[in-house]
Amino acid sequence: MRPTSSLPGVAAAAVTLAAALAGVSAPGAGATPPSSTAVPGSPPPSSPVPGDPAPSGAACTIRYSAYTWETYLTSSITIVNTGATTVTSWRLTFPLPAGQRITTGWNAVYSPSSGTVTARGHDDHVTIGPGGAIAIGFVADHTGDTGSPSSFALNGTPCALG
């Protein structure tokens, strides 16, 4: 004689128990199942809905300073991620004032050395978490214009100056 299994009964009991723990009626218990798959009391999905407007404001803030002497300058740039997501494999684009040419840099790779420059993260400086910052910089020679870049963009998104 072969024993019989009551798995269908156990499965139904498990569904009823799970539903009771979630605070909803189980199907077959006289209630209509909910029309959505969301768990009651759970927060709404955090993914943006297609067609929603993009968040306003820059995803970064740039702090720029330079120390000048004779025909050289040392520039210090701090990139602050003001967005809600981690920035990886970043690139910072900015126009150097006419007459400035980067001769060396740190914590980033700079290309080209004049005109509109792109700095890319180097070694362990490739990720910027939300609220985090990275410091980079360069030495440049100049022909008299020691001005600051007029704008910065992180991965194509304009940054605020601060």
Side-chain angles (χ1 to χ4, degrees):
M1 181 164 195
R2 193 170 161 179
T4 59
S5 172
S6 63
L7 286 179
V10 172
V15 168
T16 302
L17 177 59
L21 291 174
V24 296
S25 298
T32 305
S35 61
S36 75
T37 58
V39 175
S42 66
S46 60
S47 301
V49 177
D52 280 356
S56 60
C60 64
T61 297
I62 299 296
R63 291 190 298 258
Y64 180 90
S65 63
Y67 172 78
T68 62
W69 76 100
E70 298 176 11
T71 59
Y72 301 96
L73 63 88
T74 300
S75 169
S76 179
I77 304 169
T78 301
I79 306 167
V80 181
N81 178 357
T82 58
T85 59
T86 298
V87 177
T88 58
S89 300
W90 59 266
R91 66 187 186 290
L92 183 69
T93 307
F94 55 94
L96 276 182
Q100 292 184 13
R101 184 181 60 87
I102 296 174
T103 58
T104 189
W106 58 91
N107 295 339
V109 176
Y110 298 88
S111 177
S113 61
S114 61
T116 300
V117 175
T118 298
R120 286 180 166 63
H122 181 62
D123 292 339
D124 61 342
H125 289 82
V126 295
T127 303
I128 312 170
I134 287 183
I136 64 173
F138 60 85
V139 174
D141 54 26
H142 64 84
T143 59
D145 186 351
T146 58
S148 302
S150 57
S151 63
F152 294 87
L154 183 64
N155 291 350
T157 302
C159 296
L161 299 176

